[in-house]
Amino acid sequence: MTSRDLTPLIEGYTFLEGPRWHDGRLWTSDFYTHQVLAVAPDGSTEVVTTVPQQPSGLGWLPDGTLLVVSMRDRKVLRLTDGGLVEHGDLSAVAGGHTNDMVVDAHGRAYVGNFGYDLMGGAPFATTDVSRIDPDGTVTVVAKDLMFPNGSVITPDGRTLLVSETFGNRISAFDIHDDGGLGPRRDWAVFGDPPDTSALDAMLASVVVAPDGTCLDAEGAVWTADAVHHRCVRVAEGGTILEEISTGDDGVYACMLGGDDGRTLHLCVAPSFDEAERRSTRLGRILRTRVDAPHAGTP
C-alpha cells in the first residue's frame, strides 16, 4: 500500500460521483443534494445546475455543451441557456438507475446503468451499455455486463474501457466508425466471477470492485475500489501497480487533473448506503499527487 498524503479539496456533501476534469476545474455530481458542481483548485465551488432526479455521469458535446445523467428517470439531460432539456431517454432500455457516462469526440454518449434495484435489495441482474447519438437516438451497444460503471475512451478514440463493479474486471470494446462496439474482451481481470446470490456474498467475493476510473498517460488506469477502501492503479491484464488507502472512508470515483494532470482526486464517503448518505454530509473529495499525468481523454 503506497503512503501518499491525502488532503481535502471539498467537504460537507452527501455522495460525490462522476468527477471529470474540464476547463481547469473538477466537475462532479452530488447525488442527494442533486447538484452538479465545478470546483477550482483552491476549493472554490460553483453550483452549475440542479438535477431533480439525481445527477451522476458528466460529459461535454464538441461545442462545449454539458451533458449530465439524470439517474432516477433514466435520462441524459443537456444544459442550455434556458436550463436543462432532455437529450436522450434511456427508460426503455435501462434495467436500473442510469449511472456513469463518457462522451467521445463526436458527441456520442456511452451510458451504463445499475441493471436492478441495488438500494432496494432486488436480485442481481446483468445489464447493458447504451449509446446516445447527438440527435438523441438511443442504441444498446453492449449487453450482459455486471454493473457497468466508470468508463473512459483511449486517446485514439478507438477503445472504450468499462469498469464492471461486481464483475471482478474491466472490459474493453473496440469503437467502430459508426459508434458501434465490438465484442467485449477482458482488459483487466482481478478474480473469478463473483457470487451474485446476495449483495453481501457478492461484495465478499469481489477482489477489486472497479467504480469510477481514469486513464493515465502511461496506459494504466486508476480505479476506485468501491469495496476495499482504496484506489488502485492497474495495468492492462490486471496487475495492480499501486494502491492508495482511503482509511475509514470508501472511495467511489477518481479523476486525474490539475495544471499538469498529476493531481488525483478521490470521491470518498463512509459507505454507499443511500439512507445514510441522504441524511448526512460526510462526502468529500480528497486529492494527492501521482507520477503519471492524465492521458487527456474524456
Side-chain angles (χ1 to χ4, degrees):
M1 190 82 70
T2 300
S3 176
R4 291 187 183 271
D5 292 332
L6 295 174
T7 58
L9 175 63
I10 56 173
E11 301 178 286
Y13 292 89
T14 60
F15 190 82
L16 295 159
E17 257 282 14
R20 298 289 184 194
W21 185 260
H22 179 74
D23 282 349
R25 295 189 292 178
L26 185 74
W27 298 60
T28 187
S29 294
D30 188 30
F31 274 13
Y32 305 119
T33 64
H34 308 291
Q35 296 175 338
V36 176
L37 311 168
V39 188
D42 65 1
S44 58
T45 302
E46 175 191 358
V47 177
V48 176
T49 190
T50 300
V51 179
Q53 295 297 316
Q54 195 169 308
S56 185
L58 305 173
W60 287 264
L61 296 174
D63 66 0
T65 298
L66 175 68
L67 299 182
V68 55
V69 169
S70 181
M71 296 183 70
R72 291 179 173 272
D73 57 358
R74 305 179 190 185
K75 295 181 178 180
V76 171
L77 307 178
R78 184 174 69 251
L79 184 61
T80 69
D81 290 341
L84 290 169
V85 299
E86 182 179 305
H87 182 70
D89 185 350
L90 296 156
S91 59
V93 297
H97 291 352
T98 44
N99 192 24
D100 214 321
M101 172 177 67
V102 64
V103 182
D104 73 6
H106 304 284
R108 301 177 298 213
Y110 295 86
V111 189
N113 69 88
F114 286 10
Y116 68 109
D117 185 359
L118 170 66
M119 300 302 176
F124 175 81
T126 60
T127 192
D128 306 332
V129 167
S130 298
R131 186 189 74 237
I132 303 176
D133 290 328
D135 65 0
T137 301
V138 173
T139 305
V140 173
V141 288
K143 292 179 176 291
D144 297 324
L145 302 184
M146 302 184 74
F147 209 94
N149 213 325
S151 301
V152 295
I153 294 172
T154 53
D156 61 6
R158 305 305 299 176
T159 305
L160 172 69
L161 304 182
V162 179
S163 294
E164 295 187 61
T165 302
F166 296 142
N168 261 334
R169 67 191 186 192
I170 298 173
S171 293
F173 302 86
D174 291 338
I175 301 175
H176 299 155
D177 289 344
D178 65 357
L181 300 182
R184 190 202 72 81
R185 66 180 186 275
D186 292 334
W187 190 87
V189 176
F190 305 109
D192 294 332
D195 179 354
T196 59
S197 60
L199 181 59
D200 287 347
M202 188 159 52
L203 296 180
S205 60
V206 169
V207 178
V208 176
D211 198 328
T213 300
C214 59
L215 184 66
D216 73 25
E218 295 179 357
V221 301
W222 285 100
T223 189
D225 182 346
V227 172
H228 299 105
H229 293 212
R230 61 181 181 166
C231 190
V232 294
R233 184 172 182 252
V234 181
E236 185 172 3
T239 299
I240 295 176
L241 304 172
E242 184 177 350
E243 57 183 295
I244 299 172
S245 171
T246 51
D248 293 335
D249 278 332
V251 55
Y252 303 101
C254 61
M255 180 53 55
L256 288 163
D259 290 343
D260 62 359
R262 288 183 167 86
T263 299
L264 181 66
H265 303 84
L266 308 176
C267 295
V268 305
S271 74
F272 61 80
D273 182 86
E274 183 172 9
E276 291 179 5
R277 303 285 66 79
R278 280 186 177 277
S279 60
T280 59
R281 295 292 184 271
L282 299 175
R284 302 184 290 161
I285 291 179
L286 306 178
R287 57 184 171 177
T288 190
R289 298 284 292 168
V290 296
D291 299 326
H294 194 282
T297 63

